[in-house]
Amino acid sequence: MDLRAIQAAAVANKNAKDLNLTNVELEFCLLTAEVGEAITSWRRGEDGFDLELADIQLFLVALADMTGVDLQDAVERKMRINADRVYRRDDRGVPIKITEPGAVR
């Protein structure tokens, strides 16, 4: 199943259960809560961490759909951009972006 199909299936499931598909701010809050649950699960070494990550994905694709974003297209475009970026590490070891794709330098 590709990301576009996941997005459609997640939205269909939310629609069938009469869950939020209109309030973008609420969906961001719910996504944030899911991220918190995933962090807690990971820190505690709990079973189900993988399902917490899946929950994050499902809320994210719903947000994409609610805002008219084809997340598969956006992810593919962003991956191409990221592949062309160049970083160097500063004296503290922090990666610093030194080139942006398409930027004139």
Side-chain angles (χ1 to χ4, degrees):
M1 184 179 283
D2 64 14
L3 189 51
R4 193 170 289 118
I6 291 168
Q7 183 169 334
V11 169
N13 183 61
K14 286 176 77 84
N15 192 42
K17 292 177 171 49
D18 197 28
L19 299 174
N20 178 49
L21 285 171
T22 57
N23 187 330
V24 172
E25 291 85 1
L26 173 60
E27 204 70 8
F28 269 112
C29 290
L30 295 171
L31 172 61
T32 300
E34 291 299 332
V35 171
E37 289 176 17
I39 292 167
T40 298
S41 178
W42 177 77
R43 288 187 68 227
R44 293 179 178 169
E46 296 173 345
D47 289 338
F49 172 66
D50 56 337
L51 298 178
E52 296 297 344
L53 291 178
D55 279 340
I56 292 168
Q57 175 74 13
L58 295 173
F59 276 91
L60 184 62
V61 295
L63 263 169
D65 200 79
M66 291 166 68
T67 57
V69 172
D70 179 322
L71 198 55
Q72 182 167 326
D73 284 347
V75 168
E76 289 171 353
R77 189 171 73 246
K78 185 63 173 178
M79 288 178 71
R80 287 190 300 273
I81 290 168
N82 288 351
D84 292 338
R85 284 186 175 152
V86 176
Y87 295 83
R88 69 168 173 77
R89 295 198 179 267
D90 68 10
D91 294 338
R92 298 168 294 153
V94 176
I96 306 295
K97 182 173 44 177
I98 59 172
T99 63
E100 182 69 37
V104 178
R105 297 228 177 227

